[in-house]
Amino acid sequence: MRNRASTVAAYAFLSLFFVAFLYPFLWMIASSLKPDLEIVSMGLTSSNYTLGNYLLVFSRAPVVRAFLNSLIVASAVTVSVVLFGAMVGYALAKVKWKGSVYLTAFLLFTMMLPFQLTLIPTYTLIVKLGLTDNLLGLILPNMLTAVAVIMFRQFFQSIPDTILEAARVDGCSEVKLVFKIVMPLAKPAVVTVAIITFLTSWNDVLWPIMVIRERDLMTLPQLVTTFVLGGEAESHLGAKLASATLLAVPIVVFYSFFQRSIVQSFASSGVKG
Amino acid sequence: MAEVNLEHVTKKYDGGVTAVNDVSFQVADNEFVVLVGPSGCGKTTTLRMIAGLEEVTSGTISIGGKVVNDVDPKNRDIAMVFQNYALYPHMTVYENMAFGLKLRKYPKAEIETRVKEAAQILGIQDFLDRKPKVLSGGQRQRVAVGRAIVRKPKAFLFDEPLSNLDAKLRVQMRTEISRLHHRLSATMVYVTHDQTEAMTMGDRIVLMKDGIIHQIDTPLNLYDHPVNKFAAGFIGSPAMNFFTGSITRDGGLQFRETSGVHFKLGGPLESSLGAYEGRTVVLGLRPEHIGIAGITTPASEATVPLKATVDVVEPMGNEIFVYFFTGSGTQYVSRVPAHRMLSHGEHVEFLFDCSRAHVFDTETEKAI
């Protein structure tokens, strides 16, 4: 009896948190479907559900274009981080050369530097390369990350050397070794790095705001931010909530597909989402 | 198939350690050569240099008449079987075996024929679509061997392939590899620390210690005519008994052990040991050359009886190993047929067949 009582208490407590976390999100979705006047209420129901807010957002901001831009940037960044991260990680983990330990330490050091510190030099570089108002300006600086390199290196170190030697004797070149043996064996690491990179890139707002001015080149978070804060939504609270919902939808869909891998990724990498 | 030739090969590591020191030997076409020696003797490093997995510091290695010092492993046309199998965990048995052929762009049909043929030879045709992790150790090692033979390489290199298997399976795989050698008429270099494997499998044995070769010979020659004390002690199980003592002339040449036990040295030894009179030498006698009165009969006129107390008896079924101490406190072992069981503490007469004795210089440890 006592056990049961404590279980009930625990569930009641957890349910409270569940509601506390989920309710604002549900409220955002429900309110985005209500006329502005009804949004002041904290309830979820309405007798006048409308898609008007969404139509307003779509008519005033190039949402579809921004979604595609985000997709292009996040995909390109993810592919390149996985590709180059694995190659560098392999060189640090499995190729014997004198500077390998020092380079690894240096990479770890760069991870300690806050993004804000390199923001201005990187921006200057992008301006000099003429890549402002260009999606390349979003992709290029993020094509390789120290986190990815370190994660691949750590994972690759656990692959026995004899497997690589067997492949070399079998006729593998070093590049084929990375892609035919090491990467398939490192699937968990590849998935982890891919998910973290994709989400980080997708959610980034600060860097796109600095590099992109042209509306047709904006990423989705950037567009929504400028739409909501830049005055275009005027006082339409419903439109602001609709744009916020649009921003959340791709991530929710992505999450529902890769839920297990994502939880494992963040658990294994010790990186917060 | 081709011959493998090592000339004055040396391997020095960055820290200054010399793993292999001026090693030269030749593996003839279709020959099975075993590199054997204790841990850290440089046998695996030698094999890895032949494979191209370690760089050669000096000297030349040639395979099929071509110097391969600077040739990548993939271009040496050799196949290697590793101690821990080194199968690709993400591939099925079939893919594991086909991998090398695919990389070399063989036609699909040819790959399939070769893999199936190898699988047939090794009895693994039922596992072709399984992943390595569901296979037993013996099956995995068969796959590793299969992966090597489908390539039909110039030479096969084996790096302690049976060490991870249990005793029964090891004996079984040992004969299978020997059979495979005859069937494929292949050049094979085989590394092991197990002298039984070396004796049973090799056409010739290369015996190494501390990076240098001590003796290269056929198994029986190595057993019967070891060139030094190390070779004598390493080959044979139980190991050869060694007695330290001096050569005296007391009505014929005699060997007098430190404790006072003495043997008469007759036959060919008498003439060769003349120069060692008054000097200390090491006398070696294999366990089977120490009989026990009542179980064996004196093998030759040079048999010397010695009473001692039985310490430990190890019955092997067909024979027994009897461990005992002489007055000097050194442990010796005798190997006799299992006609009669002995027990701890029993006083028996051991029969030392000195005509079979090996004598070694105490300083150089070389056979006299």
Side-chain angles (χ1 to χ4, degrees), chain A residues 162 165 167 170-171 180 184, chain B residues 48 74 84 88 90 104 151:
Chain A
T162 46
E165 286 170 351
D170 255 349
K180 289 198 180 254
Chain B
R48 288 170 59 83
K74 66 185 165 83
N84 62 359
Y88 313 125
H90 59 298
R104 287 176 167 77
R151 295 239 323 271

Side-chain angles (χ1 to χ4, degrees), chain B residues 112-367:
Chain B
E112 192 172 334
T113 316
R114 284 202 191 187
V115 170
K116 293 221 163 126
E117 194 183 273
Q120 185 80 35
I121 293 173
L122 295 160
I124 48 172
Q125 62 271 48
D126 294 340
F127 316 129
L128 286 176
D129 53 354
R130 297 200 195 154
K131 292 270 176 73
K133 68 174 175 199
V134 300
L135 302 181
S136 69
Q139 289 164 342
R140 282 182 209 188
Q141 199 52 284
R142 278 200 187 86
V143 176
V145 173
R147 186 172 63 180
I149 64 176
V150 291
R151 295 239 323 271
K152 301 184 179 166
K154 280 188 186 145
F156 289 90
L157 309 177
F158 293 89
D159 184 10
E160 309 213 17
L162 309 184
S163 303
N164 283 10
L165 304 180
D166 63 59
K168 198 177 166 195
L169 207 53
R170 207 178 306 155
V171 175
Q172 192 188 337
M173 282 300 286
R174 199 168 77 194
T175 48
E176 277 188 36
I177 292 176
S178 291
R179 197 176 295 129
L180 204 64
H181 172 238
H182 295 302
R183 184 169 179 163
L184 301 174
S185 305
T187 308
M188 290 185 173
V189 186
Y190 188 105
V191 162
T192 180
H193 62 267
D194 180 351
Q195 57 91 27
T196 315
E197 274 175 34
M199 291 291 286
T200 51
M201 299 172 86
D203 292 329
R204 280 192 305 149
I205 295 174
V206 176
L207 179 64
M208 294 181 74
K209 188 192 170 196
D210 298 334
I212 57 171
I213 293 179
H214 280 247
Q215 189 168 359
I216 305 177
D217 225 323
T218 59
L220 289 183
N221 265 343
L222 197 59
Y223 191 80
D224 290 334
H225 308 289
V227 295
N228 58 25
K229 193 181 160 199
F230 166 69
F234 191 82
I235 301 290
S237 175
M240 186 185 272
N241 298 291
F242 293 111
F243 310 81
T244 307
S246 51
I247 303 286
T248 56
R249 193 173 287 279
D250 187 8
L253 210 58
Q254 291 208 349
F255 171 83
R256 194 170 287 276
E257 204 197 356
T258 331
S259 60
V261 180
H262 63 279
F263 311 123
K264 229 181 220 156
L265 297 167
L269 279 175
E270 186 158 10
S271 51
S272 58
L273 282 174
Y276 280 83
E277 200 182 322
R279 287 168 64 180
T280 307
V281 293
V282 174
L283 187 135
L285 206 53
R286 294 221 178 264
E288 59 267 37
H289 299 140
I290 302 179
I292 293 173
I295 298 178
T296 55
T297 49
S300 70
E301 285 176 10
T303 301
V304 177
L306 176 77
K307 280 211 160 82
T309 310
V310 172
D311 181 31
V312 173
V313 181
E314 289 180 346
M316 304 302 289
N318 60 335
E319 55 189 9
I320 51 176
F321 301 157
V322 184
Y323 294 84
F324 62 98
F325 291 96
T326 61
S328 65
T330 320
Q331 182 184 262
Y332 299 110
V333 56
S334 151
R335 174 185 199 154
V336 289
H339 295 327
R340 180 167 83 81
M341 196 55 198
L342 297 167
S343 52
H344 170 76
E346 205 174 324
H347 289 284
V348 290
E349 192 171 59
F350 289 93
L351 306 168
F352 292 72
D353 179 6
C354 290
S355 68
R356 309 299 295 266
H358 302 263
V359 185
F360 306 97
D361 190 302
T362 35
E363 280 168 25
T364 62
E365 296 201 340
K366 282 188 178 152

